[in-house]
Amino acid sequence: MTEPRDRSAPILANKHYAEESAFQPGNLLREARRQKGLAASDVPAICVLDPDGDLVRRLRRDGRATADRDWACYHSELDRFVEGDVDFGIVGCVVGASYAVLVAEQLFAAGCRLLISMTSSGQLQPVRQPPYFILIEQALRDEGTSYHYLSPSDFAQADTGVIAALEGAFDELREPVLRGATWTTDAPFRETERAIAAMTARGLLAVEMEAAALYAFAQACGKRVVCFAHVTNQMGQEGDFEKGEADGTIDALAVILAAARRLE
């Protein structure tokens, strides 16, 4: 006879949300600095996650990005740049929920005070022709990382104070910045027709890969994070993924700068 067993998914078991983590990001950075002989310097107070890497590549190509040689993370490279009158740090190709939060933890441990994520995303609601932006107010938790930070719920929420502070911040930009909810998934190539229809029926605007985890991390750890979706495609239709002028970097930097000026 088979013994009865708990049928809940392993990812929901053995979570102790009130307990401090035994593995701290500051300790990882300390040991990386020791091994690599790096100085203990702070990153810029405002940092950007650039999952597609287009922003970093453009900034480097234009000679505007400077590599931060003291960034001790084992898994990423940090560049510094100035946009308008604001100093930024930026990490490229941080794609997916787990990787995004891994890097976010280390950025905040190294002096970051505000993290802005600008991720490429697929359209769910046909509100207009891509490209355009969405200020993500909440994200459906169809990924794994958020469940290590917050108990199960449908959505991870942006900080209401951060969202309120951005009211009207993008009104003068040439590309529209909508507001709403997205679907965060770990598996973009498992977006089946039925799954897409279900998410669309819930009123979700777009699908991306980081926001739910970043917002769960922000809520659990008391950090300031704001996530934008750059809607650039309709799930791989012919002619998709056109981001706009200079791979969409000009408009994306305008959104990031406007947010930074309101939130710095």
Side-chain angles (χ1 to χ4, degrees):
M1 180 177 177
T2 303
E3 293 185 4
R5 57 185 291 260
D6 183 353
R7 292 292 182 182
S8 63
I11 198 170
L12 300 178
N14 296 308
K15 299 297 181 291
H16 310 286
Y17 296 107
E19 288 189 12
E20 187 176 18
S21 175
F23 188 18
Q24 294 291 327
N27 295 346
L28 180 68
L29 293 175
R30 182 197 64 215
E31 294 308 302
R33 290 182 184 118
R34 177 184 59 78
Q35 288 183 344
K36 300 177 181 182
L38 302 178
S41 61
D42 281 352
V43 302
I46 305 175
C47 290
V48 176
L49 296 184
D50 171 28
D52 279 8
D54 286 333
L55 291 169
V56 170
R57 284 188 287 269
R58 174 63 60 175
L59 290 165
R60 289 176 177 174
R61 193 177 307 136
D62 293 346
R64 297 183 55 202
T66 302
D68 187 329
R69 303 300 181 192
D70 289 323
W71 175 232
C73 178
Y74 287 111
H75 319 98
S76 64
E77 296 179 346
L78 175 73
D79 286 75
R80 294 171 179 254
F81 72 101
V82 177
E83 181 74 7
D85 54 354
V86 181
D87 293 318
F88 290 94
I90 185 168
V91 182
C93 299
V94 185
V95 65
S98 175
Y99 188 24
V101 172
L102 178 80
V103 173
E105 287 262 28
Q106 293 175 76
L107 287 170
F108 280 102
C112 176
R113 297 289 179 268
L114 170 66
L115 183 64
I116 301 172
S117 175
M118 177 60 74
T119 189
S120 181
S121 67
Q123 184 184 66
L124 293 176
Q125 304 288 339
V127 293
R128 59 179 294 125
Q129 186 68 27
Y132 56 91
F133 297 92
I134 299 169
L135 169 57
I136 301 174
E137 296 177 318
Q138 60 178 358
L140 189 80
R141 298 171 61 184
D142 193 18
E143 40 65 59
T145 305
S146 70
Y147 295 91
H148 296 275
Y149 287 87
L150 294 179
S151 57
S153 63
D154 284 1
F155 288 92
Q157 308 286 339
D159 181 86
T160 55
V162 167
I163 295 298
L166 294 174
E167 183 67 37
F170 314 108
D171 290 352
E172 304 302 319
L173 302 185
R174 65 179 184 178
E175 287 288 348
V177 180
L178 312 181
R179 292 177 177 227
T182 58
W183 165 25
T184 304
T185 179
D186 279 335
F189 298 128
R190 287 301 298 150
E191 295 167 2
T192 63
E193 293 295 339
R194 283 201 292 177
I196 292 169
M199 298 304 175
T200 302
R202 296 187 72 159
L204 306 182
L205 296 178
V207 57
E208 40 74 30
M209 296 182 64
E210 296 87 19
L214 285 168
Y215 281 159
F217 154 72
Q219 182 179 338
C221 299
K223 306 301 183 185
R224 298 179 83 208
V225 175
V226 61
C227 298
F228 293 92
H230 192 184
V231 181
T232 60
N233 68 86
Q234 296 168 311
M235 312 298 183
Q237 300 299 310
E238 188 171 352
D240 253 355
F241 302 105
E242 294 297 332
K243 291 185 169 182
E245 184 179 358
D247 295 325
T249 57
I250 294 173
D251 292 315
L253 286 172
V255 172
I256 290 167
L257 179 61
R261 283 180 166 156
R262 284 294 184 91
L263 298 172
E264 66 180 335

